[in-house]
């Protein structure tokens, strides 16, 4: 447990997290985010940051019900305020319906919605960082995928800490960057964390990231230390890769980050539901922050 928490602490130190900082941790209900919540609540005492959590109920039947329950248990165990964003409540539809309406694969719609909601909540709370539970296996697979397609701009964002764009996007922190899936699982068991082992029913085993993750496991078994070496090198060099070329701009509908014109969430919801839902999502999150007694950035 000490080893695990030391590695988490090292990333917090690299990001210069200090007393009074606000960390918003994303909890899915799975083992990685549960391990993250455990370690962050242990370290909170000595560093003194403020911790809040966010869970997105994706509206995917039994899977979402179990995930939400695990997230609630995990957060309440440590007295961490939890923002639950229920997509059906805000949008009237969950991921499966949104995917049908837009004729896109559920996982791609889901990724886009999650990115938007997490960033929106971090901006509304005025978080110093949005903290994600990606482990070393996930990160190695993402890095290989980006390298395969020579997507250098994505590589520039695959470090343990990413930058904040004030008012538009909150930087991300990945404290499990150098910790494997196995270590994360063992740690969450030892800490008796609440999580579900259920998998999303939409997961596609042929998806590139999933195949690459299995490949990373295979290479590691033949070449122990492969993952740590790959990620250690990437963590040193990722800022050298070129940053996105398009000038960052503000979505005219919701005011958050976009790469020109309306943001992808507002575009997607306009297409599927007839209106851009960014403003409604932001208002919903502000309402949740009020209910939990958390401050809303810019409202003093
Ligand atoms: Fe998002 Fe499965 S589609 S978790
Ligand atoms: Zn928008």
């Amino acid at each position: 447990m000490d080893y695990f928490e030391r590695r988490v602490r090292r990333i917090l130190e690299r990001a210069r997290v200090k007393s009074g900082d606000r960390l918003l941790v994303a909890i899915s209900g799975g083992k990685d985010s549960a391990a993250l919540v455990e370690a962050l609540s242990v370290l909170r005492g000595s560093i003194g940051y403020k911790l809040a959590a966010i869970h997105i109920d994706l509206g995917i039947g039994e899977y979402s019900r179990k995930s939400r329950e695990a997230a609630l248990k995990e957060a309440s165990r440590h007295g961490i305020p939890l923002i639950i964003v229920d997509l059906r409540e805000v949008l009237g539809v969950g991921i499966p319906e949104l995917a049908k309406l837009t004729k896109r694969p559920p996982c791609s719609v889901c990724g886009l919605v999650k990115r938007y909601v997490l960033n929106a909540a971090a901006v509304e709370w005025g978080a110093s960082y949005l903290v994600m539970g990606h482990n070393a296996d996930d990160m190695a697979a993402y890095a290989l995928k980006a390298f395969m397609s020579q997507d250098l701009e994505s590589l520039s964002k695959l470090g343990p800490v990413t930058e904040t764009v004030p008012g538009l996007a909150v930087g991300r922190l990945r404290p499990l960057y150098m910790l494997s899936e196995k270590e994360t699982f063992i740690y969450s068991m030892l800490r008796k964390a609440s999580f579900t082992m259920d998998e999303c029913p939409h997961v596609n085993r042929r998806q590139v990231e999933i195949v690459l993750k299995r490949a990373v496991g295979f290479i590691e078994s033949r070449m122990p230390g492969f993952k740590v070496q790959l990620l250690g090198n990437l963590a040193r060099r990722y800022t050298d890769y070129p940053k996105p070329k398009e000038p960052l701009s503000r979505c005219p509908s919701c005011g958050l980050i976009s790469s020109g014109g309306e943001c992808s969430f507002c575009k997607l919801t306009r297409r599927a539901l007839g209106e851009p839902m960014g403003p409604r999502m932001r208002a919903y999150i502000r309402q949740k922050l009020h209910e939990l007694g958390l401050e809303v950035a810019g409202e003093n």
Side-chain angles (χ1 to χ4, degrees):
M1 287 194 272
D2 277 353
Y3 159 83
F4 193 94
E5 286 150 15
R6 253 198 326 273
R7 292 222 145 168
V8 169
R9 180 189 280 275
R10 222 177 276 161
I11 305 252
L12 300 183
E13 284 170 357
R14 178 172 177 160
R16 299 203 175 83
V17 172
K18 55 186 184 318
S19 169
D21 276 356
R22 297 181 185 183
L23 302 188
L24 179 65
V25 49
I27 353 189
S28 64
K31 63 175 185 336
D32 298 318
S33 48
L36 184 57
V37 169
E38 293 293 327
L40 288 175
S41 38
V42 169
L43 298 171
R44 176 168 53 171
S46 58
I47 306 181
Y49 45 78
K50 293 182 188 145
L51 209 49
I54 174 163
H55 172 78
I56 308 175
D57 186 326
L58 303 165
I60 308 180
E62 189 57 10
Y63 167 71
S64 287
R65 198 192 55 73
K66 282 197 187 159
S67 305
R68 180 173 175 152
E69 203 181 285
L72 259 167
K73 260 201 207 152
E74 187 52 35
S76 68
R77 209 176 154 206
H78 297 286
I80 300 170
L82 175 66
I83 306 161
I84 294 189
V85 174
D86 185 327
L87 290 187
R88 290 229 160 97
E89 219 172 86
V90 201
L91 307 177
V93 290
I95 294 297
E97 296 83 9
L98 260 186
K100 269 197 202 107
L101 287 165
T102 51
K103 299 191 176 66
R104 285 175 56 163
C107 294
S108 102
V109 173
C110 181
L112 186 159
V113 170
K114 278 182 190 162
R115 271 193 301 279
Y116 182 82
V117 173
L118 297 178
N119 180 55
V123 169
E124 295 297 353
W125 187 39
S128 324
Y129 283 109
L130 173 61
V131 194
M132 309 292 296
H134 299 131
N135 61 44
D137 296 67
D138 299 324
M139 296 311 297
Y142 298 155
L144 290 181
K145 184 186 173 198
F147 187 76
M148 183 177 90
S149 47
Q150 282 298 291
D151 181 354
L152 303 184
E153 292 173 6
S154 286
L155 274 170
S156 79
K157 296 186 219 149
L158 290 179
V161 188
T162 69
E163 275 168 34
T164 289
V165 186
L168 293 179
V170 171
R172 288 175 175 225
L173 201 56
R174 301 181 174 113
L176 311 183
Y177 195 83
M178 296 293 261
L179 289 156
S180 72
E181 185 161 300
K182 201 164 157 194
E183 288 167 328
T184 305
F185 177 67
I186 296 172
Y187 178 78
S188 51
M189 293 297 284
L190 289 173
R191 283 255 171 243
K192 299 190 172 49
S194 298
F195 59 90
T196 166
M197 287 299 280
D198 282 22
E199 241 186 8
C200 169
H202 296 295
V203 71
N204 171 1
R205 303 243 146 258
R206 278 177 305 193
Q207 212 178 307
V208 187
E209 289 90 344
I210 296 185
V211 176
L212 286 174
K213 212 167 141 176
R214 292 225 311 270
V216 165
F218 174 77
I219 304 174
E220 181 75 31
S221 71
R222 303 289 154 115
M223 217 176 114
F226 164 73
K227 260 179 297 193
V228 168
Q229 215 181 332
L230 172 71
L231 293 173
N233 290 333
L234 183 59
R236 269 190 293 281
R237 304 296 302 270
Y238 72 103
T239 49
D240 295 347
Y241 286 106
K243 301 254 169 351
K245 273 181 228 67
E246 327 90 61
L248 295 174
S249 55
R250 199 177 276 279
C251 168
S253 301
C254 71
L256 291 180
I257 197 158
S258 89
S259 50
E262 216 168 39
C263 73
S264 38
F265 179 77
C266 285
K267 253 189 232 156
L268 177 101
T269 45
R270 181 193 287 283
R271 230 178 90 202
L273 309 166
E275 74 173 288
M277 290 291 188
R280 188 184 295 188
M281 182 60 78
R282 293 192 69 177
Y284 175 92
I285 292 168
R286 280 196 296 273
Q287 174 65 31
K288 292 271 168 174
L289 290 171
H290 280 302
E291 285 167 16
L292 290 165
L294 293 168
E295 278 170 54
V296 176
E299 263 182 23
N300 286 315

